[in-house]
Amino acid sequence: MAQVITNSGHDDMIAHPKFGPILASSSYDGRVLIWRSTPTTSSSNSPSTFQKVFESTLHTASVNLLAWAPHECGCLLACASSDGCISVLEFQDGSWNHVVLQGAHGLGVNSVSWAPSARPGSLVSANPDKGALRRIVSGGSDCLVKIWDWNPEHKTYHLTNTLTGHSDWVRDVSWSPTILAKSYIASASQDKTVRIWTSSPTSDPSNPVEWKSTTLTFDAVLWRVSWSLSGNVLAVSGGDNKVSLWKENLAGEWDCVKWIEE
């Protein structure tokens, strides 16, 4: 049965896949709301309603996108705002705490995406990481893509990489869920390109990971990128009302495998 939340005043709503029937919503008013589903009666077949359980007012401008972290990381919600900041809300020990990355993108943050909770290659590594990793990629109106890693000592997220190449606003970023040998990040921009960033290890201890990009060129501005659950197919949507699907071939090149038109 579908449930409708009325009078929320918010346009963007996403559900959490692990920590029960909770939703997060955001809008131009700068607020982030957390909702929990509760049954109207004790009967198991009775309909449920969503009640607001938390309200965040950390931002001073539109909150453009929300992203739940992989459940292995805990109940974490990243929020991208036009005020240039990223906030990360965490539910722990019965209350909501937060970390704010001030000035993450000076002209505004348009999107955020979480990395998988395990490093690339960890499935076949003889020394896998202990515990879940917390990493975020963000895209902003400064034409930059930035990667942030959680620092447990300082209890905040530190900027570890800044990826340049776009010549207009970065509208969306998406970190592939694959944990095979490489990491993939896709970024969509108003410059009519998608860049697919691929990581590779280096011998430099000060910069252990190098990111290189492949550029896909389109005829229209681009709004969204999204990876398949397996992380090997990328969907791209743009201002021409078309969706295209892309897949990497054995030569490491990206081929369009399907166009979907409205």
Side-chain angles (χ1 to χ4, degrees), residues 55-254:
E55 178 176 329
S56 169
T57 57
L58 298 170
H59 295 286
T60 59
S62 171
V63 177
N64 300 315
L65 193 139
L66 305 174
W68 290 110
H71 67 85
E72 297 90 349
C73 299
C75 190
L76 294 162
L77 181 70
C79 316
S81 175
S82 292
D83 63 9
C85 302
I86 298 170
S87 64
V88 180
L89 308 178
E90 179 177 12
F91 185 75
Q92 191 175 41
D93 299 327
S95 62
W96 288 91
N97 304 307
H98 67 266
V99 172
V100 178
L101 308 183
Q102 299 285 350
H105 292 268
L107 299 176
V109 190
N110 298 318
S111 60
V112 286
S113 177
W114 290 88
S117 59
R119 292 191 188 278
S122 60
L123 285 178
V124 295
S125 174
N127 298 298
D129 293 310
K130 295 182 179 180
L133 301 176
R134 299 183 182 184
R135 294 175 294 170
I136 300 171
V137 61
S138 61
S141 299
D142 54 5
C143 311
L144 299 176
V145 175
K146 295 184 177 183
I147 298 173
W148 311 80
D149 282 24
W150 171 251
N151 186 308
E153 181 180 352
H154 296 117
K155 302 294 184 184
T156 191
Y157 293 83
H158 286 177
L159 178 64
T160 55
N161 294 92
T162 299
L163 309 181
T164 62
H166 285 296
S167 59
D168 208 333
W169 288 14
V170 177
R171 283 294 186 179
D172 197 20
V173 290
S174 181
W175 202 314
S176 170
T178 182
I179 53 174
L180 298 179
K182 300 177 182 179
S183 279
Y184 296 92
I185 293 172
S187 56
S189 172
Q190 285 194 189
D191 65 9
K192 302 181 182 180
T193 68
V194 165
R195 286 181 176 260
I196 301 177
W197 308 85
T198 307
S199 69
S200 57
T202 71
S203 57
D204 182 0
S206 63
N207 185 33
V209 177
E210 181 181 21
W211 291 88
K212 296 181 178 180
S213 69
T214 298
T215 303
L216 309 179
T217 303
F218 295 78
D219 295 327
V221 297
L222 301 168
W223 300 117
R224 291 289 178 260
V225 281
S226 180
W227 293 96
S228 63
L229 292 178
S230 59
N232 65 335
V233 178
L234 177 68
V236 180
S237 68
D240 54 3
N241 297 326
K242 297 178 182 178
V243 176
S244 55
L245 304 181
W246 298 77
K247 191 171 184 178
E248 187 178 24
N249 61 30
L250 294 178
E253 300 170 341
W254 289 86

Side-chain angles (χ1 to χ4, degrees), residues 28-81:
Y28 296 103
D29 60 10
R31 297 181 301 155
V32 175
L33 306 180
I34 307 295
W35 309 78
R36 177 174 291 277
S37 175
T38 56
T40 55
T41 68
S42 59
S43 172
S44 60
N45 295 324
S46 65
S48 299
T49 60
F50 280 87
Q51 302 291 331
K52 185 175 71 174
V53 296
F54 181 75
E55 178 176 329
S56 169
T57 57
L58 298 170
H59 295 286
T60 59
S62 171
V63 177
N64 300 315
L65 193 139
L66 305 174
W68 290 110
H71 67 85
E72 297 90 349
C73 299
C75 190
L76 294 162
L77 181 70
C79 316
S81 175

